[in-house]
Amino acid sequence: MEKTNYKLVLSCPSGLSPSQVSVVFDPSYDRIAHPDIELENSISEIWDQRVQKNASLYNGKKFRYGGYTLCNRGGSQQDFHVCLHLGLTDYRTFVGTNLNPLWEKFLVPSEDDLMQCQHTSSPLGNGAILETSDKKIVVLQRSYNVGEFPGHVVFPGGHPEPEEVGAASHQMGERLTNSEHNNTKVSQEMFDSIIREVVEEIGVPVTSLCNPLFIGISRRVLNVRPAAFFFIKCNIESKEIQRLYAGAQDGYESTQLYTVSLVSSNSFFLIDVSIGFFSTNKC
């Protein structure tokens, strides 16, 4: 099976719980401005053009992916730990770098992903591999009105949101002055946000969802956009999910919900539906 559209940056095959995932949120992981002034100025030009066509565009803050560290302190699955390195970016810079028609000019020739993408916005998206109670996987066909990849089939997802944890700047407010506490809040947002996205895009109640497991990070080859992926079990059958989808809060972002059969082999599953290739143990 070819995997040319996405690069698997990090794979956690058995899935990691929130206690096994931490975050360092720090300005050292922010984007570095490109030395080419004309290219850098194109960010504002492209954004202004977009806003003229669509005045409802909002320049929201996003977490920027800046790498990770992985360790296994004791040798068992429970001893695996991932620390995500996150900076801060915004939608305007994403549109002007990753979605720029000249996006490849923002890349640095390097085999190192982080070095290669140091001038791009690279907001960390998220996606859910959602398994129904009758062993189906949920995917959505994106609306033709969305700004990125309209009409494509994707997993439900979106972004963790800095504003949800008071992280719209690196000064997180008087109540969040302790950096370790700040990092804990951002780490929890990684898991809380994917639950929100599933509930809002599909329409299932939050009580129907098991705790998410972090299973890895992929990076799109086209425009080098990264996304964190999670595995979530839902205790509702696929037919009922189809009914609930009709009333989903963010149903306007997609035009159709599909459920596809799980390909099982020795308690593992493999998925390749437009957004990448992942494998994980069933819970």
Side-chain angles (χ1 to χ4, degrees):
M1 184 179 294
E2 293 187 3
K3 297 176 282 186
T4 57
N5 293 330
Y6 290 81
K7 177 178 180 179
L8 188 57
V9 176
L10 170 63
S11 176
C12 304
S14 297
L16 301 182
S17 66
S19 65
Q20 295 174 281
V21 179
S22 62
V23 164
V24 174
F25 176 58
D26 190 87
S28 62
Y29 302 118
D30 289 358
R31 170 184 174 269
I32 298 173
H34 198 282
D36 184 329
I37 299 301
E38 289 189 8
L39 188 61
E40 192 69 12
N41 287 341
S42 72
I43 296 174
S44 295
E45 294 169 3
I46 287 176
W47 177 253
D48 291 344
Q49 291 169 8
R50 286 282 194 105
V51 172
Q52 287 178 2
K53 293 179 180 178
N54 183 1
S56 65
L57 283 179
Y58 170 65
N59 183 26
K61 297 292 185 179
K62 302 297 177 187
F63 289 111
R64 182 180 186 273
Y65 175 68
Y68 69 90
T69 53
L70 178 65
C71 63
N72 185 348
R73 300 186 180 98
S76 68
Q77 169 60 30
Q78 289 70 29
D79 294 316
F80 270 104
H81 186 92
V82 169
C83 179
L84 302 178
H85 304 160
L86 301 180
L88 198 62
T89 186
D90 55 37
Y91 187 65
R92 168 184 170 275
T93 311
F94 170 57
V95 169
T97 60
N98 295 82
L99 298 188
N100 192 317
L102 303 176
W103 66 271
E104 290 178 290
K105 290 192 174 183
F106 281 94
L107 303 184
V108 175
S110 175
E111 294 297 320
D112 180 86
D113 280 348
L114 301 180
M115 179 69 70
Q116 184 185 42
C117 301
Q118 63 180 314
H119 301 310
T120 61
S121 173
S122 299
L124 183 65
N126 60 21
I129 297 178
L130 184 70
E131 181 185 324
T132 66
S133 63
D134 53 343
K135 306 301 180 185
K136 300 288 183 68
I137 295 296
V138 175
V139 293
L140 299 169
Q141 183 170 15
R142 287 173 64 79
S143 166
Y144 285 92
N145 295 320
V146 297
E148 188 181 8
F149 290 95
H152 282 234
V153 176
V154 298
F155 293 115
H159 299 85
E161 299 292 350
E163 277 106 351
E164 288 288 334
V165 291
S169 73
H170 285 291
Q171 304 298 321
M172 291 177 68
E174 295 180 2
R175 289 202 241 170
L176 296 175
T177 55
N178 181 275
S179 60
E180 185 175 345
H181 183 59
N182 294 346
N183 291 336
T184 299
K185 295 281 285 185
V186 176
S187 178
Q188 186 60 47
E189 171 62 9
M190 296 298 110
F191 288 84
D192 291 346
S193 61
I194 193 59
I195 291 292
R196 285 198 309 270
E197 295 290 355
V198 167
V199 170
E200 292 172 2
E201 292 189 3
I202 297 177
V204 295
V206 66
T207 53
S208 70
L209 302 175
C210 294
N211 292 329
L213 292 175
F214 174 77
I215 57 174
I217 296 174
S218 76
R219 194 193 76 180
R220 188 181 291 140
V221 172
L222 176 66
N223 74 32
V224 296
R225 182 180 183 177
F229 277 81
F230 298 82
F231 175 64
I232 307 175
K233 280 191 172 185
C234 180
N235 63 17
I236 300 176
E237 290 190 354
S238 53
K239 287 184 178 180
E240 176 63 9
I241 287 178
Q242 285 282 6
R243 186 188 69 79
L244 292 169
Y245 170 69
Q249 176 181 330
D250 288 351
Y252 62 90
E253 295 181 359
S254 59
T255 58
Q256 183 66 51
L257 180 147
Y258 300 96
T259 55
V260 296
S261 297
L262 199 61
V263 180
S264 300
S265 175
N266 298 324
S267 81
F268 285 82
F269 70 76
L270 303 177
I271 289 288
D272 184 13
V273 188
S274 164
I275 200 160
F277 181 89
F278 284 86
S279 66
T280 182
N281 279 328
K282 293 183 184 178
C283 298

